[in-house]
Amino acid sequence: EHAMPRKKDDKIRQAIRDAGVDDVVDVGLGGTSLPRIARRAGLSQGTIYLYFDNKDALLQDVYMEIKEAAHAQLMAATKGATTSKERIQSIWNALIDFMIENPKDFAFRENVAAALALTQDRQASLKAMEQELLSILENAVADQTLKPAPIDSIVAVLVAPARHLARAANTSATPLSARSRDETFHLIWAGISLID
């Protein structure tokens, strides 16, 4: 009799994923190990190997899943937006929402972004997602909604305050107010736009 290959279970994979995220957030990338992740997930280390070849593969997969989920949420936010300003503001708000709704995923991404040696396929996939977002800003410069500034400067001016607001909301008992969110965007917009 041949043993049937074990069917992979989505709940187990999710438990491994969540344990990996929690471990990186709690002890950093250097302290994370498969035995620690297995203990956190309440599984044997052997079970993890049914789903991932090694720690690096697990972390890369999780990182890409988080990037893809965030990107999908940002792009979905632009549906129905008709002007460059509406698109940019929708993406900005969706970015804050994603970071607040997924604080551990956000912290994981921040922890591993610079350290992961991604495969070429994954790098190409990230580049394509990034280019989709950058083209919205490039179009806004082209249609004279935004000042003719370097795109990476515009990204920095948009992302840093969003990251700050989300981090503050995630670490305090007070939720981010709509007023604070709107006023912050208004200040950013005053700095980068050619229109009101």
Side-chain angles (χ1 to χ4, degrees):
E1 293 283 321
H2 288 292
M4 290 291 291
R6 288 184 49 188
K7 184 180 171 300
K8 291 185 179 177
D9 181 323
D10 290 341
K11 285 190 187 90
I12 292 174
R13 190 187 184 289
Q14 187 68 35
I16 296 167
R17 178 215 184 278
D18 292 347
V21 167
D22 289 349
D23 208 52
V24 168
V25 170
D26 289 350
V27 301
L29 196 57
T32 298
S33 67
L34 285 182
R36 287 178 57 90
I37 293 169
R39 269 195 308 280
R40 255 182 206 267
L43 301 166
S44 73
Q45 201 172 324
T47 300
I48 291 180
Y49 286 115
L50 296 173
Y51 294 83
F52 302 97
D53 290 341
N54 52 43
K55 178 179 102 169
D56 196 50
L58 186 159
L59 298 177
Q60 285 196 38
D61 279 6
V62 172
Y63 179 77
M64 290 304 295
E65 285 170 18
I66 292 168
K67 291 292 280 189
E68 288 162 2
H71 183 74
Q73 190 166 322
L74 300 188
M75 295 314 296
T78 66
K79 300 287 183 263
T82 55
T83 66
S84 287
K85 180 182 182 180
E86 286 173 1
R87 273 188 285 284
I88 293 165
Q89 190 166 11
S90 297
I91 288 170
W92 189 79
N93 279 307
L95 177 62
I96 293 172
D97 291 341
F98 185 83
M99 292 186 289
I100 290 174
E101 291 160 11
N102 306 284
K104 285 194 172 174
D105 285 358
F106 169 52
F108 173 89
R109 202 188 83 202
E110 298 276 288
N111 264 300
V112 304
L116 281 184
L118 295 172
T119 62
Q120 282 187 319
D121 286 357
R122 288 179 168 139
Q123 287 175 26
S125 177
L126 282 181
K127 198 88 184 133
M129 287 186 276
E130 186 179 283
Q131 192 49 55
E132 193 173 6
L133 290 164
L134 292 179
S135 68
I136 291 171
L137 297 176
E138 289 162 356
N139 291 338
V141 170
D143 71 18
Q144 298 186 328
T145 298
L146 294 180
K147 291 176 181 169
I151 296 299
D152 58 345
S153 298
I154 294 170
V155 169
V157 170
L158 283 162
V159 173
R163 193 177 274 141
H164 174 80
L165 291 175
R167 213 178 260 131
N170 287 341
T171 57
S172 82
T174 332
L176 175 60
S177 72
R179 180 171 179 241
S180 180
R181 185 190 285 245
D182 291 345
E183 287 184 4
T184 302
F185 188 81
H186 181 74
L187 288 168
I188 294 167
W189 196 250
I192 63 174
S193 70
L194 288 171
I195 61 159
D196 281 339

